[in-house]
Amino acid sequence: MRGRRGDRMTINIQEHMAINVCPGPIRPIRQISDYFPRRGPEPEGSGRGCGEGPTRLAPLALAPPAALLGATTPEDRAEVDSYDSDDTTALGTLEFDLLYDQASCTLHCSILRAKGLKPMDFNGLADPYVKLHLLPGACKANKLKTKTQRNTLNPVWNEDLMYSGITDDDITHKVLRIAVCDEDKLSHNEFIGEIRVPLRRLKPSQKKHFNICLERQVPLASPSSMSAALRGISCYLKELEQVEQGPGLLEERGRILLSLSYSSRRQGLLVGIIRCAHLAAMDVNGYSDPYVKTYLRPDVDKKSKHKTCVKKKTLNPEFNEEFFYEMELSTLATKTLEVTVWDYDIGKSNDFIGGVSLGSGARGEARKHWSDCLQQPDTALERWHTLTSELPPAAGALPLA
């Protein structure tokens, strides 16, 4: 039925639903290879004339899933210094030198300069500084930091930072993390990029030069990694350290340099507390007030306790104090020397920083130092030892002084 001109035709819902509005079968979207085809290899002598049909196109070779996800092969991971891409170059490059001095057990890090850093401020510049961490390990305890260079994308530092108490075992399994950050006085400091250098790449007493592109922060494997990383670099490092150390390893709390010598003339053990390095910060000001206590276990008479003086507001105290335990060499072989470091607090219990036990039941460098002392009397042997978070059972009662 035709309506008159100007009249508005109405359609009820039943007729509307009966209208066929289907556009037809959905066809796949054409690939870019359909517009720019690649011809597959043809055998020799199989030329085609103008009247023949089109040749069969060879499918494009797709990258393996690992390559699509950004995974690298072992050959790519081996050459860290030569890694370069548009993504990392946009963050900038960092030039620095590393030197491991085996004689003095020190790691020298010379931060030279950076080029082409990513702008972080509204003025198109940045206020960059460099932070160093040894992983795995206590993040705040072994953090070293350069000065901040203002309003520049090509800062020059030329600063020498040094880690003390580095042993051959540290060179074997530790990694140096170098992070470049932008200082912001009004809010949190911003992360620009980082570099990770396995210390096993260093040779003793040979300076190695690096000029590497900065990389983005490595994501964590745990589900809470993103929220932890957003709360700051310190939270990120803490969780990453737990992942790399594993559940069965103890937290490192710093290093201590001890001297052991058995005196045949005085018939006793001479213990020297020389210094500590990179202790964990226990106070709100980012420092500690450390002192050292020593025990010779088992201590039936409870007379083997010795204590150094307190060093105020420092994470790298120097004590240079000696304690003497009068005892025969045969009896000393059955003893265990316990060394603990504490943070002194006024009016409350002191905080335990870390400790180490030396004796026949110890492991690694602690056991070797003890056995060398017994086998080489009248010889002062100085060794660095790692302080762990494990509190000796006999020291379970927190002291007040």
Side-chain angles (χ1 to χ4, degrees):
M1 178 179 178
R2 175 179 291 183
R4 292 179 299 177
R5 170 171 285 188
D7 294 343
R8 184 177 181 181
M9 297 182 63
T10 59
I11 303 176
N12 57 26
I13 188 63
Q14 290 81 4
E15 294 177 350
H16 176 73
M17 296 300 296
I19 297 177
N20 185 12
V21 294
C22 180
I26 300 176
R27 298 180 180 180
I29 300 176
R30 301 190 67 182
Q31 302 291 331
I32 191 65
S33 59
D34 295 337
Y35 297 95
F36 302 96
R38 296 183 182 179
R39 299 183 182 275
E42 299 180 1
E44 296 182 0
S46 60
R48 294 182 179 270
C50 297
E52 298 184 8
T55 59
R56 186 178 180 181
L57 300 179
L60 289 177
L62 297 179
L68 295 177
L69 296 177
T72 57
T73 60
E75 291 77 11
D76 297 334
R77 289 193 296 264
E79 295 295 334
V80 179
D81 295 347
S82 61
Y83 180 77
D84 191 7
S85 67
D86 293 339
D87 185 43
T88 55
T89 307
L91 302 177
T93 60
L94 182 65
E95 188 175 354
F96 58 96
D97 295 332
L98 297 180
L99 172 63
Y100 170 53
D101 191 346
Q102 191 177 26
S104 60
C105 297
T106 55
L107 176 64
H108 299 269
C109 308
S110 300
I111 307 300
L112 304 179
R113 63 185 62 85
K115 293 183 179 179
L117 294 181
K118 179 182 177 181
M120 305 298 293
D121 298 336
F122 291 107
N123 58 1
L125 300 175
D127 302 323
Y129 66 93
V130 179
K131 290 200 305 183
L132 277 66
H133 295 87
L134 278 178
L135 301 177
C139 302
K140 294 183 180 180
N142 58 38
K143 181 184 75 172
L144 299 179
K145 179 182 174 182
T146 66
K147 297 180 180 179
T148 301
Q149 302 296 326
R150 301 292 178 183
N151 296 324
T152 178
L153 299 180
N154 301 284
V156 178
W157 289 284
N158 290 326
E159 293 189 35
D160 294 329
L161 306 177
M162 184 181 68
Y163 281 104
S164 301
I166 302 300
T167 62
D168 293 338
D169 185 62
D170 295 327
I171 296 297
T172 302
H173 73 275
K174 283 189 177 294
V175 175
L176 178 65
R177 178 183 184 268
I178 306 177
V180 181
C181 302
D182 171 63
E183 183 179 292
D184 196 338
K185 294 182 178 180
L186 301 179
S187 62
H188 296 289
N189 297 338
E190 295 180 296
F191 174 83
I192 299 178
E194 69 173 23
I195 295 172
R196 301 198 178 194
V197 181
L199 296 185
R200 62 177 178 270
R201 300 178 58 185
L202 304 179
K203 296 181 180 180
S205 303
Q206 293 186 13
K207 180 182 293 185
K208 187 173 180 62
H209 182 75
F210 296 86
N211 190 5
I212 312 179
C213 293
L214 296 175
E215 298 179 356
R216 298 188 185 276
Q217 208 166 23
V218 179
L220 301 180
S222 61
S224 61
S225 60
M226 293 306 298
S227 60
L230 293 177
R231 288 194 298 268
I233 296 179
S234 59
C235 297
Y236 161 80
L237 287 173
K238 184 177 180 180
E239 187 171 352
L240 178 62
E241 175 190 346
Q242 295 174 357
V243 173
E244 294 186 354
Q245 281 186 341
L249 297 180
L250 298 173
E251 179 186 358
E252 294 185 8
R253 296 292 187 88
R255 303 295 176 91
I256 185 169
L257 181 59
L258 300 176
S259 173
L260 298 182
S261 176
Y262 183 80
S263 175
S264 302
R265 181 179 61 85
R266 300 175 60 184
Q267 292 291 313
L269 176 66
L270 189 63
V271 179
I273 310 297
I274 302 176
R275 58 175 297 195
C276 295
H278 316 301
L279 295 179
M282 307 302 292
D283 298 335
V284 293
N285 59 3
Y287 294 96
S288 296
D289 301 323
Y291 67 94
V292 180
K293 293 197 307 179
T294 63
Y295 290 90
L296 199 59
R297 308 289 187 183
D299 185 15
V300 180
D301 299 331
K302 298 182 180 181
K303 296 181 179 180
S304 66
K305 174 184 174 181
H306 290 286
K307 185 176 70 172
T308 67
C309 61
V310 178
K311 300 295 182 178
K312 294 291 186 179
K313 197 178 179 181
T314 178
L315 299 179
N316 300 279
E318 293 189 9
F319 298 99
N320 294 319
E321 299 187 30
E322 292 184 344
F323 306 128
F324 182 75
Y325 292 100
E326 185 176 357
M327 188 173 301
E328 295 183 357
L329 185 61
S330 57
T331 307
L332 184 63
T334 61
K335 299 289 185 176
T336 298
L337 178 65
E338 291 182 356
V339 181
T340 55
V341 183
W342 299 80
D343 171 55
Y344 177 75
D345 290 323
I346 300 177
K348 61 178 182 179
S349 298
N350 299 328
D351 298 322
F352 174 72
I353 298 179
V356 62
S357 298
L358 291 81
S360 57
R363 297 180 180 179
E365 189 65 26
R367 181 174 181 175
K368 187 176 185 302
H369 193 188
W370 184 259
S371 61
D372 291 346
C373 173
L374 300 180
Q375 296 173 4
Q376 304 175 28
D378 301 320
T379 302
L381 303 175
E382 294 184 2
R383 304 281 173 82
W384 282 96
H385 297 278
T386 301
L387 299 172
T388 64
S389 57
E390 182 181 18
L391 185 65
L398 298 179
L400 295 174

